Amino acid sequence: MRNLRVNGERLWASLMELAQIGATEKGGVCRLAATDLDGQARQLFMRWCEQAGCSVRVDKIGNIFARRPGRDPVRAPVMTGSHLDTQPTGGKFDGAYGVMAGLEVVRTLNDLGYETEAPLELVAWTNEEGSRFSPAMVGSGVFAGVFDLADGLARPDNVTNVTLGAELERIGFAGPEPVGGRPVKAYFEAHIEQGPILEAAGLPIGVVTGAQGQRWYDITATGQEAHAGPTPMPRRRDALVGAARMIDAVNRIGLAHAPYACATVGFVQVSPNSRNTIPGRVFFTVDFRHPEDAVLSQMDRELRQACESAAAAIGLEVEVKELWYFPPAPFDAALVAGVRDAAAAQGYPHQDIISGAGHDACYMARVAPTAMIFVPCVGGISHNEIEDAKPEDLTAGGNVLLNAVLDCASAAAPGEPG
Ligand SMILES: [Zn+2]
């Protein structure tokens, strides 16, 4: 493992310049997918890539690929990147960091005169956030064959209904290249952690071993509406009381599978939602996450049992409908080991970590060996305008990315045989 270093100041300066596109008053960024601002950020990224000697191509779903040639043009590329779109109240680092860290890797290799055997490709994926056009990770999802291209392009804006395809056309990023269907030697993504673990442990690097699986549910408990005064307690079929017990069970299921399980009810509708009527119907959502499929299945069984027994106790009917299942996405053991070795070679304290959030890497893991590098963010806060990260941690992540990529792309120093 080599021990090269990126230019941390240049990386920081690029991040700050990019963050001006869509900058908000509170210091964040609002750069929704396929808006004019997204178009400006894409243009800037492409200009920087061309200045770094890369050839740039855009595919039909707007993913941008900037290629630094390798000695062997036949080899599949080693790819790295992330996304340029943000949440409406997003920060400067989510996504942007992975793209700029990749660019800094290319700039550093240029400075040092390194050639790689395999070509390198920087990528900026379209619509990772899923905020303007749901679902999330559409660009990488189409690339990985998870979604149809036509479906991806037809995703409607959640307010105006204009499609992602029409908006990409409008901002000049409905490219000519076919989406995916080509070999990728490896995919690396650097990202802020978006959680508190690394900061609390005082570690600059998280070696991401995979992403959690998720199961999402729609649950409806149905009882009977009745007058809040004349209906004696034993005769009630109160859907909200039943739902409250189910929601408590969701929380207990999460706690029972510590430390990795997450279990959340984030949306509840009570019907008729009237002060003096016993609720006849409650709808709520459940979001379960765990890195192991077997545990997720166990949580699924426990949820169904808890809902049925809570319903039976007060004579409710309950429907538990699984809405979405995203299997755990373990990353490639050899690439993950490469990230770990790169961190160790640089002398960075690090730990293995599971990604709690979805990332483009989760879909890329289905079609290419994949690994991610996490760096801490201040207070673990993300999807927020106050999202922040320390320059030295971002530099550390850039150094780990550089050496992991070089190792994978069979680098040769100037004058060295490949
Ligand atoms: Zn992101």
Side-chain angles (χ1 to χ4, degrees):
M1 182 71 64
R2 289 154 214 282
N3 213 354
L4 306 179
R5 305 220 157 208
V6 299
N7 180 336
E9 279 164 30
R10 181 170 57 193
L11 170 59
W12 180 259
S14 300
L15 273 165
M16 292 306 110
E17 190 174 338
L18 179 62
Q20 285 170 19
I21 303 174
T24 64
E25 268 177 30
K26 292 183 187 162
V29 178
C30 175
R31 199 165 56 222
L32 301 183
T35 54
D36 289 347
L37 290 170
D38 186 24
Q40 286 173 35
R42 287 160 168 270
Q43 295 287 357
L44 178 61
F45 170 59
M46 281 175 50
R47 196 158 67 241
W48 281 341
C49 289
E50 280 160 3
Q51 284 165 0
C54 296
S55 55
V56 179
R57 289 166 308 135
V58 179
D59 72 15
K60 289 183 194 311
I61 194 83
N63 297 320
I64 304 171
F65 301 92
R67 190 176 175 102
R68 183 183 193 265
R71 281 190 196 174
D72 182 354
V74 179
R75 289 200 193 192
V78 173
M79 199 181 272
T80 185
S82 192
H83 57 98
L84 295 171
D85 65 319
T86 75
Q87 290 284 320
T89 54
K92 303 184 192 81
F93 304 97
D94 176 2
Y97 172 57
V99 181
M100 291 300 105
L103 177 62
E104 180 52 39
V105 164
V106 166
R107 287 169 166 173
T108 300
L109 294 180
N110 291 348
D111 291 348
L112 299 176
Y114 262 76
E115 268 190 304
T116 53
E117 285 299 326
L120 302 186
E121 273 190 26
L122 304 180
V123 56
W125 300 110
T126 293
N127 187 46
E128 190 276 344
E129 294 291 355
S131 168
R132 182 181 178 203
F133 305 95
S134 76
M137 310 180 305
V138 164
S140 52
V142 175
F143 187 94
V146 178
F147 308 122
D148 263 13
L149 173 62
D151 274 3
L153 292 172
R155 301 281 83 213
D157 176 298
N158 60 15
V159 180
T160 66
N161 259 6
V162 63
T163 63
L164 174 58
E167 284 293 89
L168 285 171
E169 197 83 52
R170 190 183 62 78
I171 65 167
F173 280 88
E177 298 285 328
V179 188
R182 61 187 173 99
V184 174
K185 179 173 165 63
Y187 177 71
F188 291 94
E189 184 167 347
H191 207 283
I192 57 168
E193 179 199 338
Q194 306 182 283
I197 294 170
L198 294 176
E199 187 187 60
L203 302 173
I205 297 293
V207 178
V208 189
T209 54
Q212 302 191 99
Q214 303 184 33
R215 286 180 182 270
W216 287 11
Y217 303 86
D218 280 350
I219 300 186
T220 308
T222 309
Q224 189 172 46
E225 283 140 34
H227 197 297
T231 317
M233 297 304 287
R235 290 182 65 98
R236 296 181 178 208
R237 293 168 57 213
D238 185 329
L240 182 55
V241 170
R245 292 174 185 168
M246 296 172 200
I247 291 166
D248 182 52
V250 167
N251 186 253
R252 280 186 282 108
I253 292 167
L255 290 168
H257 297 281
Y260 292 120
C262 291
T264 306
V265 174
F267 183 95
V268 180
Q269 275 177 330
V270 179
S271 174
N273 218 16
S274 166
R275 175 187 299 269
N276 53 354
T277 298
I278 297 161
R281 184 180 162 277
V282 175
F283 170 85
F284 63 98
T285 63
V286 173
D287 173 325
F288 275 168
R289 302 184 186 214
H290 197 278
E292 287 168 47
D293 217 20
V295 180
L296 265 187
S297 301
Q298 174 65 21
M299 291 167 72
D300 175 88
R301 285 192 292 277
E302 289 171 13
L303 174 68
R304 290 173 193 279
Q305 247 162 38
C307 288
E308 268 154 38
S309 67
I314 38 182
L316 306 179
E317 274 153 41
V318 64
E319 186 197 28
V320 178
K321 195 167 106 195
E322 188 175 75
L323 193 71
W324 187 55
Y325 167 56
F326 181 88
F331 292 155
D332 182 77
L335 279 203
V336 171
V339 168
R340 201 180 289 118
D341 290 350
Q346 299 274 334
Y348 293 128
H350 56 276
Q351 72 165 62
D352 286 3
I353 191 168
I354 297 272
S355 175
H359 293 290
D360 294 306
C362 301
Y363 284 150
M364 282 306 287
R366 299 190 188 191
V367 291
T370 292
M372 287 189 81
I373 300 156
F374 275 177
V375 297
C377 55
V378 176
I381 303 286
S382 181
H383 285 196
N384 190 313
E385 287 157 279
I386 65 164
E387 178 186 281
D388 203 2
K390 291 192 201 148
E392 60 267 33
D393 292 337
L394 299 176
T395 302
N399 287 333
V400 172
L401 179 67
L402 170 65
N403 290 284
V405 163
L406 273 184
D407 198 42
C408 180
S410 310
E416 203 182 283

